[in-house]
Amino acid sequence: REVSLNSAPLRKGRSREVSLNSAPLRKGRSREVSLNSAPLRKGRSRGVCLKNNSTIYIKTQLIGKFNVFNVAASASIIQLVAPDISTEKLSKSIAAILPVRGRLQFVPNDKNIGVYVDYAHTPNALENVLSTLTQFKKGRLICVFGAGGDRDKTKRPKMLQTVLKYADLCLITNDNPRSEDPVKIILDIVRDSDPEENFWIIRDRKTAIQTAIRAAREHDIVLLAGKGHEAYQEINGIRTHFDDVEVAGEALKLNEEIDSLSFPIDPLMLKVLLETNEDSIQSENLLRYISTDSRSIQPNSLFFALQGTNFDGHDYVPAVLKNENCRAVVNETFQTESEKIIRVENTLAAYDKLAKKYKKLFGIKTIAITGSSGKTTTKEYLANILVEKFNLLKTQANENNLIGLPKTIFKLRPPHEIAILELGTNQFGEIAKLTEFSQPELGIITSIGPSHLESLRDEAGVFREKIALFDQPNIVKFFPGDDPRFNIFKGITFGQNESCNYKLHNIKIEKDRTGFDVNEQHYSIPTPFSTFTLNALNAIAISFELNVEPEVIQKGLNKPLQISHRMEIQPSENRILLVDCYNANPDSMKAAIEFWLAFETARPHIAILGDMLELGQLTEKYHENILRLIKGKEIEQLISVGKLSRIYKADEHFDTVDQLIKSNIYNHFAGNAIILIKASHGIQLEKIIGRL
């Protein structure tokens, strides 16, 4: 008798139709198969039921909707050809079936990460597996895959497109290249995809698997696709032992923290992203550090030869290349010949492009902060608050420009949940570039004032440059509600106006603290410098939008700020130094002087004031405004430092801080004086602090 998948046994010339969704037809009745399955998590089974006049519930250890269909088909056939088997026995037997090795095989671990190995090596197979895993993921889905050599080449780019459709991150690696060049296979895979898509190339499969598992956070899923049950890898016709399950199991046991890049750089990745020369990709040796300073070079470093005002990194390339497995990214005009040289049109543009690509690998929430003043203080308040609830990375020191910000990005590690990035500018176009590669979800502009006017010309130019931050698609905008220039935007406002979403009021200074209210909630900061309440307000607004509780916010505000020379109140024997010489613009200079004048008024007041730099054609005007502010005030002594500060008409003037130090005039300051030290950082007034 004839039996086919779509028909029951033929008897006496009759036929009975059987389909995947129906049991044998008896006396005109049909039996329906339905897939009543809940999402699967961590290798748990899912339920299937067959419906007739009664219902059969089946659980299987096999994962995925496609396997549910397979089980349903098998159960239907068994019911057809062996109707005497009880439903209880059928259910029990199917529930005992173990997953086939290498077919969505779960790799046990105690890290709460779903690690699966599967044989999927075609676009359709990847579609089935990834769509299944997507149904029950809580975090990110990370996929490691490659393509076999000496096989259908047309499927290779389709495989990557399928993976990018479902996975949050893709690591492309070697599968079984067999006799084919592994480089050509990977170039085939990526040929139809934008290099800025969220994939990363690491040819060494073991390292790729280790990197993917190290990148996974709790509740993430990692799929190792392509090889499945195979226990070998074939490269250049040579087979060596390689088992994805074994390698994954070993990687899951690794707990050491690394100080190098979380995603090592394969030279082939640079070829694809930066369109570099062919010679640079022959070696598979991975680069694990990035540097723009030849003095920090160590083995396995990628050096970017950047050109600055006072230096040219190309001068140091020969010394860099003497280090073990180091490569240098240089401009096309650089003449040295070496397979370790990677030529690009512009090294700074390439550096920023790599930073943008690298950051996307982490899927991290990003907060960007810019403004004429207060951005660093806001960043520090916000970091002190959010670190109570999140693992975060923040901009260090003054790493807020096109060279510095990538340095922060390359410090990203898998545990990080939030990045707080400060964006600085001194010329048009910088905020737009910084925003492009930092890709923030939340953006805050703290203030608009006269700063960097040599290039930005006036406050209208400052405003135009700063609001480039808001050009990022879907960014949540935070801005001063007291500044009518921002009325063109819809977003979250902060300030002292009644209409602000976060209203600051009831500011009161009590000894060494400043108390204030935001809406109906009271807060305080450990400084009498009340101007900082504006920066704290910014941090409070963002924290509230991230659902941080008021008590946690206050705990963060109580912490000392990790910044130096920003209105620091430093006792020095009987004197008190008010140190604010990191930077200076007209607004911050005015705030510092007003605070100094009102601080412990019974004691003698001495000020060392320097130039406010980068004010362009308005330089004289803004320095004269400071003269009017201090003129006629009860000041013990006023000293000016720099070329521009002569306008202050001080008691003593020095062109440089070194001249001030040599004069020894500070030896005659009153022993109980309140001394303000304020200037732009370029004047270097910090040199005098230790002598006071």
Side-chain angles (χ1 to χ4, degrees), residues 577-595:
L577 310 183
L578 306 181
V579 181
D580 194 0
C581 55
Y582 179 83
N583 214 338
N585 60 42
D587 288 341
S588 68
M589 181 71 85
K590 179 175 180 290
I593 291 173
E594 288 177 344
F595 175 73

Side-chain angles (χ1 to χ4, degrees), residues 77-91:
I77 294 171
I78 292 168
Q79 289 260 290
L80 172 65
V81 301
D84 294 335
I85 295 179
S86 68
T87 57
E88 291 78 13
K89 186 173 182 179
L90 176 62
S91 298

Side-chain angles (χ1 to χ4, degrees), residues 4 70 80 90 109 121 164 196 215 247 280 295 301 312 316 333 337 413 455 491 498 585 665 687 690:
S4 71
N70 295 339
L80 172 65
L90 176 62
N109 65 88
H121 60 282
L164 291 173
E196 294 192 9
V247 174
S280 66
R295 295 168 296 182
S301 289
D312 186 344
Y316 307 100
T333 55
E337 293 297 328
R413 296 292 180 265
S455 298
E498 290 293 335
N585 60 42
I665 192 174
K687 289 182 178 180

Side-chain angles (χ1 to χ4, degrees), residues 21 30 44 77 122 145 186 203 232 244 401 434-435 460 465 524 593 645 669:
N21 293 320
S30 66
R44 296 176 187 171
I77 294 171
T122 65
F145 88 103
I186 292 179
R203 280 174 280 180
Y232 66 87
D244 279 2
N401 56 24
L434 293 169
T435 302
E465 169 64 5
S524 67
I593 291 173
S645 59
F669 288 171

Side-chain angles (χ1 to χ4, degrees), residues 161-284:
Q161 289 303 309
T162 300
V163 174
L164 291 173
K165 176 181 175 183
Y166 291 100
D168 301 288
L169 171 62
C170 169
L171 271 69
I172 303 172
T173 189
N174 289 336
D175 190 294
N176 284 322
R178 299 183 177 88
S179 65
E180 199 172 345
D181 183 357
V183 170
K184 292 182 178 179
I185 293 174
I186 292 179
L187 292 178
D188 277 344
I189 291 174
V190 303
R191 70 177 178 230
D192 294 339
S193 297
D194 186 333
E196 294 192 9
E197 291 272 14
N198 210 16
F199 67 81
W200 196 252
I201 298 170
I202 300 178
R203 280 174 280 180
D204 180 72
R205 191 174 183 91
K206 181 176 182 180
T207 304
I209 292 173
Q210 291 174 339
T211 301
I213 290 175
R214 185 180 285 119
R217 297 190 285 264
E218 190 176 19
H219 303 305
D220 284 352
I221 294 175
V222 178
L223 172 66
L224 311 177
K227 292 176 55 58
H229 65 282
E230 293 176 349
Y232 66 87
Q233 188 174 32
E234 185 176 345
I235 302 178
N236 295 324
I238 300 174
R239 287 192 177 190
T240 56
H241 177 75
F242 195 98
D243 187 317
D244 279 2
V245 176
E246 288 181 9
V247 174
E250 293 169 359
L252 286 162
K253 295 176 183 177
L254 298 175
N255 292 312
E256 79 278 7
E257 295 184 5
I258 57 173
D259 63 351
S260 57
L261 293 170
S262 294
F263 291 86
I265 301 174
D266 189 312
L268 183 55
M269 183 70 253
L270 296 175
K271 161 67 180 174
V272 172
L273 180 65
L274 305 180
E275 300 178 358
T276 59
N277 48 301
E278 292 288 342
D279 291 343
S280 66
I281 65 173
Q282 296 308 311
S283 172
E284 290 188 26

Side-chain angles (χ1 to χ4, degrees), residues 259-260 288-291 293-302 320 323-327:
D259 63 351
S260 57
R288 299 182 180 275
Y289 303 91
I290 293 178
S291 176
D293 186 343
S294 62
R295 295 168 296 182
S296 66
I297 289 295
Q298 52 189 314
N300 306 306
S301 289
L302 177 64
V320 167
N323 292 273
E324 180 183 353
N325 186 38
C326 285
R327 292 168 182 263

